[in-house]
Amino acid sequence: MEGEFEDGDIVNVHLSNGKFYGVGYINTKSKITIRLLSLQPMSIEQMMDQRIAEAIRRREVLPVGREAHRLVNGEADGLPGLVVDKYRDYLVLQINTLGMEKLKDLVVEKLKKYASPLGIYEKSDAPTRLKEGLKESCGWLLGNGPEVIYFEQEGLLLAADLKGQKTGAFLDQLHNSRLCSAFAKDRVCLDVFSYTGNFALHLLKAGAQFVVLIDYSERSLSIAEQLLRLNGFSNYQIIQANAFDWLKENSRFERFDLVVLDPPSFAKTSTSKDSALRGHKEINLRGMKILKKPGILATASCTQVISEQEFESLLNDAANDSKVLLSVLYKGGQGLDHPFLLEVPETRYLKFIITEVRRRY
Ligand SMILES: C[S@@+](CC[C@H](N)C(=O)[O-])C[C@H]1O[C@@H](n2cnc3c(N)ncnc32)[C@H](O)[C@@H]1O
């Protein structure tokens, strides 16, 4: 590095022999001191213009919803610390680093240039901002819009709740909920950790006989209920409960043909990994018990510190404990609009498995 700098500034990085290495932003308070933006000497204005344009172009050919998809996915789009999601005519952005915070005006300028939104909302409320020395920052940066943005996704009306989680919706699961619906016709289904009902809505659209939704957020469940009605469904039950308690009390009977488990991240750091593994095992064990056999279990983990192998291994342990066999039908992760970098394993956080649960022969 050369010269004076403040945390969050753009700096040039040089090797010990003086050779130029790259340009990035610095934060001496963060565990990652410098996040590189380019290995070529280039202006930040030019870099931002190019990256935002590329990220948008990259999505144009993807088989993802046209009304809603992720436009910018951090490192994988060459923009560490920045996430941008599109919901109809609005964009919701999330900034997670001090360096990107200082580039916010430039981000907004380029999003206006390449995406022409009616409004841009900032929903920077991730607890990780604290580690960067940043406070929560939420509000409209451009224009104005509704608190709940409705969007259409393959004939379903879904919603992004700007007072809810992530950027309002779990766009990373849209692909998986669609896949899951292949197993739904005439089935009695359970959507645990339902949020605003993405899985439940897809299952009902595909002809599920009945769906039970469980979540502990009253607000998310009231939006789920609104969406279920707006989509014309009445064959559902909504239960506001702690999923761990509810599953414990109800898993003595085999009641469901299909169970979805999509819990929140159980650990933000590797220090709480063991309890996260136990939490995942517990809900999966209960999910397997409450299923009729054979039945379909669609199970996810967005706990980034748990690897794919560890997730599969805990599922296998839960299957052994509940004396069932798992026959995996599909294994995947975040949707196509959430690319990840092989060299940055942290960018691959979502594990998703659809498995048939059978009695052991
Ligand atoms: C990953 S999100 C689910 C996303 C949803 N499946 C979708 O596709 O939109 C996790 C959800 O779990 C809920 N939640 C977290 N802990 C819970 C608990 N102990 N009991 C019930 N719900 C919980 C949160 O309110 C949140 O809605």
Side-chain angles (χ1 to χ4, degrees), residues 277-305:
L277 288 168
R278 281 196 299 279
H280 275 296
K281 184 175 168 193
E282 152 108 24
I283 52 159
N284 278 283
L285 192 128
R286 305 263 176 218
M288 288 172 199
K289 287 199 165 169
I290 208 169
L291 265 178
K292 291 180 196 164
K293 316 293 181 300
I296 297 290
L297 176 68
T299 181
S301 167
C302 60
T303 305
Q304 186 261 316
V305 293

Side-chain angles (χ1 to χ4, degrees), residues 165-166 168-174 177 191-200 214-218 220 239-245 260-266 300 302 350:
Q165 299 191 31
K166 302 261 262 190
F170 289 82
L171 291 177
D172 53 354
Q173 285 287 29
L174 284 183
S177 49
D191 179 5
V192 189
F193 305 101
S194 67
Y195 190 53
T196 54
N198 166 39
F199 278 90
I214 298 177
D215 203 284
Y216 66 15
S217 160
E218 191 182 346
S220 305
I239 300 176
Q240 187 189 357
N242 182 317
F244 282 89
D245 298 341
V260 178
L261 298 173
D262 185 16
S265 171
F266 288 150
C302 60
L350 186 63

Side-chain angles (χ1 to χ4, degrees), residues 3 7 106 118 139 180 182 188 190 192 252 272 279 282 303 317-318 351:
D7 281 337
L106 198 52
L118 275 186
C180 218
V188 178
L190 176 64
V192 189
R252 269 173 295 137
S272 39
E282 152 108 24
T303 305
D317 289 347
K351 282 77 59 186

Side-chain angles (χ1 to χ4, degrees), residues 93-109:
L93 67 82
Q94 202 158 61
I95 288 178
N96 296 316
T97 58
L98 180 61
M100 195 51 76
E101 179 78 21
K102 289 199 174 180
L103 300 177
K104 189 155 59 184
D105 290 347
L106 198 52
V107 170
V108 170
E109 182 194 317

Side-chain angles (χ1 to χ4, degrees), residues 171-210:
L171 291 177
D172 53 354
Q173 285 287 29
L174 284 183
H175 173 73
N176 295 328
S177 49
R178 200 167 43 221
L179 278 174
C180 218
S181 63
F183 305 93
K185 186 143 177 48
D186 300 328
R187 302 293 182 204
V188 178
C189 308
L190 176 64
D191 179 5
V192 189
F193 305 101
S194 67
Y195 190 53
T196 54
N198 166 39
F199 278 90
L201 287 156
H202 278 87
L203 297 171
L204 286 165
K205 180 169 176 258
Q209 190 190 118
F210 196 82

Side-chain angles (χ1 to χ4, degrees), residues 78-348:
L79 292 167
L82 178 68
V83 158
V84 184
D85 285 346
K86 171 185 162 72
Y87 298 112
R88 242 184 41 229
D89 304 319
Y90 301 99
L91 301 181
V92 181
L93 67 82
Q94 202 158 61
I95 288 178
N96 296 316
T97 58
L98 180 61
M100 195 51 76
E101 179 78 21
K102 289 199 174 180
L103 300 177
K104 189 155 59 184
D105 290 347
L106 198 52
V107 170
V108 170
E109 182 194 317
K110 299 304 170 189
L111 287 172
K112 272 162 64 180
K113 175 174 171 189
Y114 289 109
S116 316
L118 275 186
I120 301 179
Y121 185 81
E122 177 177 16
K123 192 170 179 304
S124 298
D125 53 5
T128 46
R129 278 173 66 91
L130 284 177
K131 291 187 186 157
E132 290 273 327
L134 291 167
K135 291 200 203 102
E136 187 177 305
S137 173
C138 294
W140 289 95
L141 301 174
L142 170 79
N144 217 320
E147 208 169 71
V148 178
I149 307 171
Y150 296 94
F151 60 90
E152 196 266 341
Q153 170 80 17
E154 291 183 346
L156 270 177
L157 189 68
L158 302 179
D161 174 16
L162 299 187
K163 293 275 178 291
Q165 299 191 31
K166 302 261 262 190
T167 61
F170 289 82
L171 291 177
D172 53 354
Q173 285 287 29
L174 284 183
H175 173 73
N176 295 328
S177 49
R178 200 167 43 221
L179 278 174
C180 218
S181 63
F183 305 93
K185 186 143 177 48
D186 300 328
R187 302 293 182 204
V188 178
C189 308
L190 176 64
D191 179 5
V192 189
F193 305 101
S194 67
Y195 190 53
T196 54
N198 166 39
F199 278 90
L201 287 156
H202 278 87
L203 297 171
L204 286 165
K205 180 169 176 258
Q209 190 190 118
F210 196 82
V211 180
V212 175
L213 295 81
I214 298 177
D215 203 284
Y216 66 15
S217 160
E218 191 182 346
R219 182 181 169 95
S220 305
L221 288 177
S222 79
I223 295 174
E225 169 129 56
Q226 208 180 57
L227 289 173
L228 286 156
R229 283 170 193 239
L230 286 170
N231 282 285
F233 302 121
S234 54
N235 43 342
Y236 62 85
Q237 183 188 4
I238 289 179
I239 300 176
Q240 187 189 357
N242 182 317
F244 282 89
D245 298 341
W246 190 89
L247 282 170
K248 205 168 180 177
E249 283 157 24
N250 290 277
S251 58
R252 269 173 295 137
F253 304 106
E254 299 183 351
R255 291 171 46 190
F256 294 95
D257 302 298
L258 188 157
V259 170
V260 178
L261 298 173
D262 185 16
S265 171
F266 288 150
K268 295 290 177 213
T269 61
S270 49
T271 46
S272 39
K273 183 168 162 179
D274 283 347
S275 74
L277 288 168
R278 281 196 299 279
H280 275 296
K281 184 175 168 193
E282 152 108 24
I283 52 159
N284 278 283
L285 192 128
R286 305 263 176 218
M288 288 172 199
K289 287 199 165 169
I290 208 169
L291 265 178
K292 291 180 196 164
K293 316 293 181 300
I296 297 290
L297 176 68
T299 181
S301 167
C302 60
T303 305
Q304 186 261 316
V305 293
I306 294 181
S307 69
E308 198 176 56
Q309 289 77 8
E310 285 165 330
F311 185 50
E312 288 171 17
S313 162
L314 74 84
L315 289 178
N316 204 30
D317 289 347
N320 284 332
D321 289 359
S322 29
K323 301 187 174 47
V324 293
L325 201 64
L326 300 184
S327 168
V328 174
L329 302 166
Y330 173 77
K331 185 172 126 167
Q334 56 231 49
L336 281 76
D337 46 352
H338 292 58
F340 57 85
L341 295 178
L342 273 185
E343 70 167 10
V344 188
E346 291 81 2
T347 57
R348 184 186 197 176

